[in-house]
Amino acid sequence: MKHPIFFLFILMLFSSTLQAKYLRATLFMENGVIKKGLAEKVQSTDSKVNFKTDDRSKIEKIASREIKRIEFEDADGTTYIAENLYAVTANILSGKFSRSSKKKWFYMIYDKNARIGYITETGSNRPNAGGTSRVITYGNTAYFFGKKDSEELVFGYSESSGSNLAVGTDSLIRKMAAEAFGDCPQIMDAIQKTDFSQTQAIDQLKAIFEHNTCP
């Protein structure tokens, strides 16, 4: 009798783990339809979103291009908002701007007069091609910002989880801000007057957006 109880326990544990991957979610579709149910949190390059109306329903894989915004809520009531937007970056050598060919999922940390979102890339630990050593890459978080109603965000700042390396302060933030807010003199004036620091750049941008508007 011990074996059936043991296998029942394993099945229950597996079921609870599987359900834990899904959060309560509201999907705002590009066609205006709103879907409510459960969904897995998305990664920046996910082309599909796993969604189901309740715990017992089958998983529906919805193309990311059909979704504009997702509002997640975890068991503690914490809300996470993901938006599907284009990412604009600048080439380090040429300085030319380029927009991603496909939209990416950004988690929003500021969404008022302007928007700030982030993309997180996880690190890896894998053997090299010859199998003689291991290649370790650290994860990083890249922050992007832009206008409230724009379908794109521009790169502003990036930090690595494995070191104190930070990329994207002062000159780069000003350059990218000019691309996003070139027709917003009040915001651009505030950005030009700010000395952005590695540890405070995002808070400084929030403060600028909080006190300055774009006509």
Side-chain angles (χ1 to χ4, degrees):
M1 294 294 292
K2 292 182 180 180
H3 294 296
I5 294 175
F6 174 75
F7 285 120
L8 179 60
F9 171 76
I10 294 297
L11 181 61
M12 292 174 63
L13 181 62
F14 175 78
S15 178
S16 62
T17 302
L18 185 62
Q19 291 181 18
K21 294 171 59 179
Y22 283 81
L23 302 178
R24 281 183 289 183
T26 302
L27 278 57
F28 297 84
M29 311 300 290
E30 288 285 0
N31 61 7
V33 171
I34 298 176
K35 292 176 174 281
K36 293 188 177 184
L38 303 170
E40 285 186 320
K41 288 188 69 177
V42 290
Q43 301 298 315
S44 63
T45 57
D46 283 350
S47 60
K48 294 182 180 180
V49 176
N50 291 333
F51 174 81
K52 52 186 182 178
T53 54
D54 55 49
D55 289 330
R56 296 183 178 181
S57 63
K58 293 183 178 181
I59 298 174
E60 179 184 359
K61 294 184 179 294
I62 304 175
S64 290
R65 65 177 181 275
E66 298 177 5
I67 308 171
K68 184 176 183 179
R69 174 188 178 102
I70 306 175
E71 293 183 3
F72 295 97
E73 183 179 341
D74 65 17
D76 298 326
T78 303
T79 300
Y80 306 89
I81 298 175
E83 293 208 30
N84 202 17
L85 303 164
Y86 291 104
V88 176
T89 56
N91 185 283
I92 296 177
L93 298 178
S94 67
K96 292 183 178 180
F97 295 104
S98 63
R99 190 168 83 164
S100 58
S101 59
K102 296 181 180 180
K103 290 183 177 180
K104 298 177 180 288
W105 285 109
F106 291 87
Y107 282 96
M108 311 307 295
I109 58 175
Y110 183 86
D111 191 359
K112 293 183 179 179
N113 299 324
R115 293 187 293 185
I116 302 174
Y118 69 88
I119 290 175
T120 299
E121 296 182 359
T122 57
S124 65
N125 185 336
R126 57 181 176 78
N128 66 1
T132 57
S133 63
R134 301 195 68 82
V135 178
I136 298 174
T137 59
Y138 293 106
N140 71 84
T141 301
Y143 296 91
F144 292 69
F145 59 92
K147 290 182 179 179
K148 171 71 175 176
D149 298 321
S150 175
E151 65 173 1
E152 63 184 33
L153 297 180
V154 301
F155 174 79
Y157 176 80
S158 178
E159 57 187 11
S160 171
S161 61
S163 67
N164 293 323
L165 177 64
V167 178
T169 53
D170 266 345
S171 61
L172 183 56
I173 288 180
R174 293 191 180 96
K175 177 182 177 68
M176 301 307 292
E179 176 71 7
F181 297 101
D183 57 349
C184 304
Q186 191 175 359
I187 289 178
M188 284 306 303
D189 184 60
I191 287 176
Q192 293 296 335
K193 292 178 180 178
T194 301
D195 292 324
F196 293 97
S197 68
Q198 291 185 354
T199 58
Q200 300 293 323
I202 299 305
D203 289 334
Q204 289 173 303
L205 282 172
K206 287 181 181 179
I208 290 172
F209 296 147
E210 193 71 26
H211 297 98
N212 299 275
T213 59
C214 185

